[in-house]
Amino acid sequence: MSIKRIGVLTSGGDAPGMNAAVRAVVRTALFHDVEVYGILRGYNGLINGDIIRLDEKSVSRTINRGGTILYTARSKEFMTEEGQRKAVSTCKFLGLDSVIAIGGDGTFRGARALSSHGINVVCIPATIDNDISCTNYSIGFDTAANTAIECIDKLRDTMQSHERCSVVEVMGRNAGYLAMYVGLAVGATAVLVPEKTIDFDKDVIEKIRQARFNGFTHYMIVVAEGAGSASEIAAKIKEAIDLDPRVTVLGHIQRGGSPTGRDRVNATKMGYLAVELLLANKTNRIVCTSKGSFTDVDIDDALQMHRSIQSMEVDVLAAMTGL
């Protein structure tokens, strides 16, 4: 089978580095004399035929830009059989041989639906949550982590000046990978993640007390959004030990900003590999990293995988916080 025309889309939450991946897809495809079309606003764009042709100029100076030049959206219509048939009809009408979908698990499930209707698909993992089970790394995580670290470092400066307790909520939905990574990087007093059952007295209050016994007067609590509300955690701290914490919810600032070098390079490699897979007649695949190498796995197999917080990270955090 000869691939002549590829569509590329970004779906779900945006992640820094998505543009670098789109750029790599375009440049690799054009290198092989394959046309590339950008599908705007994710699967909604595929349903509605909201598509533009991409060339070298279209992706020029985008490798350093956050967000996604293709825009992104979640599509309820695409979750229906009728919506999927509309998307497939668009592919056939425009002569798209293949679709490269950039995003997270929801994006992959959408691509699998296209594949079941005979469309060649390859996916690229991009989510700041880094919660995709089949890959060790997803585009956007490094930038989001560094953004959160920079914000918390600045917050620590002012909090230390006033000898206060800070409760900082980071993103991650139902996964604690971002919170755990950031917590280790900023030397947090405690880190709360949804993967670990919280013993509030042991995991928070005693760690604050231990820090005070060791001479510290400022305490940093990092909370993954899936582990609870930062405001609720702060209220429980105040009730337990009459300490008045300051709450900071970093929110969507973690999604923005120019991608780090790591995200740019990984996104470029993944975009390149996605096109190469299609040209090798491989479909229904997800580009991923495993043991330091770039490879690919079947979408069906990937969606059945389960990932959890590494035990070493838990052990290291326990040692760093002294409990």
Side-chain angles (χ1 to χ4, degrees):
M1 178 185 64
S2 176
I3 301 296
K4 298 181 179 179
R5 193 169 293 161
I6 295 174
V8 58
L9 63 83
T10 54
S11 178
D14 62 301
M18 279 183 163
N19 287 328
V22 172
R23 174 182 177 274
V25 167
V26 172
R27 288 182 175 269
T28 305
L30 294 178
F31 178 77
H32 291 288
D33 296 320
V34 175
E35 295 178 8
V36 188
Y37 290 81
I39 302 165
L40 304 182
R41 300 172 185 86
Y43 291 110
N44 277 333
L46 198 55
I47 291 173
N48 300 318
D50 195 4
I51 295 173
I52 58 173
R53 185 165 184 169
L54 298 176
D55 55 21
E56 290 95 338
K57 187 176 181 180
S58 303
V59 295
S60 177
R61 298 182 180 178
T62 61
I63 195 170
N64 62 310
R65 291 173 57 184
T68 164
I69 60 171
L70 298 180
Y71 307 107
T72 183
R74 291 181 170 85
S75 176
K76 291 184 178 180
E77 185 178 3
F78 188 76
M79 297 172 66
T80 67
E81 182 68 22
E82 181 181 358
Q84 292 166 15
R85 291 190 181 280
K86 286 181 181 179
V88 171
S89 178
T90 299
C91 289
K92 292 180 178 179
F93 177 73
L94 296 177
L96 296 180
D97 303 309
S98 314
V99 171
I100 293 176
I102 305 170
D105 278 347
T107 303
F108 301 164
R109 295 182 192 281
R112 182 173 64 176
L114 288 178
S115 181
S116 69
H117 288 284
I119 305 298
N120 299 311
V121 299
V122 171
C123 298
I124 297 174
T127 167
I128 67 168
D129 304 334
N130 205 32
D131 60 347
I132 299 174
S133 300
C134 66
T135 185
N136 294 331
Y137 187 83
S138 62
I139 297 167
F141 175 78
D142 192 59
T143 306
N146 278 282
T147 296
I149 291 166
E150 182 180 1
C151 289
I152 292 174
D153 283 347
K154 290 179 178 180
L155 179 64
R156 185 191 295 278
D157 291 341
T158 182
M159 291 292 103
Q160 283 182 330
S161 298
H162 294 274
E163 299 184 332
R164 285 174 175 161
C165 176
S166 304
V167 181
V168 181
E169 182 179 312
V170 301
M171 297 181 78
R173 292 192 301 175
N174 295 318
Y177 307 108
L178 184 61
M180 183 69 77
Y181 187 94
V182 170
L184 285 171
V186 301
T189 307
V191 181
L192 307 182
V193 296
E195 292 86 350
K196 185 176 181 296
T197 302
I198 299 172
D199 181 331
F200 194 79
D201 187 63
K202 178 175 180 285
D203 296 333
V204 179
I205 301 304
E206 282 304 317
K207 288 188 177 182
I208 291 174
R209 286 180 176 141
Q210 186 66 40
R212 183 64 185 89
F213 291 150
N214 289 332
F216 295 96
T217 56
H218 171 251
Y219 321 101
M220 178 65 67
I221 314 299
V222 175
V223 183
E225 61 183 348
S229 162
S231 296
E232 293 175 356
I233 298 297
K236 292 178 70 174
I237 292 173
K238 181 173 176 57
E239 181 181 358
I241 53 177
D242 200 26
L243 197 61
D244 191 16
R246 294 296 187 268
V247 174
T248 303
V249 179
L250 296 182
H252 284 76
I253 192 173
Q254 295 159 95
R255 290 197 183 278
S258 180
T260 60
R262 185 183 184 191
D263 273 329
R264 298 183 196 191
V265 172
N266 282 352
T268 299
K269 290 180 178 179
M270 287 180 167
Y272 166 83
L273 182 54
V275 175
E276 293 295 327
L277 287 171
L278 289 173
L279 294 176
N281 293 322
K282 291 186 176 182
T283 185
N284 203 50
R285 312 296 293 179
I286 298 176
V287 176
C288 60
T289 61
S290 177
K291 299 179 180 178
S293 299
F294 288 83
T295 183
D296 59 281
V297 297
D298 183 82
I299 292 178
D300 296 314
D301 293 338
L303 290 175
Q304 294 178 14
M305 295 179 183
H306 176 71
R307 185 181 179 191
S308 59
I309 295 287
Q310 293 182 2
S311 59
M312 181 181 180
E313 291 185 342
V314 176
D315 293 342
V316 170
L317 183 64
M320 294 302 102
T321 55
L323 286 175

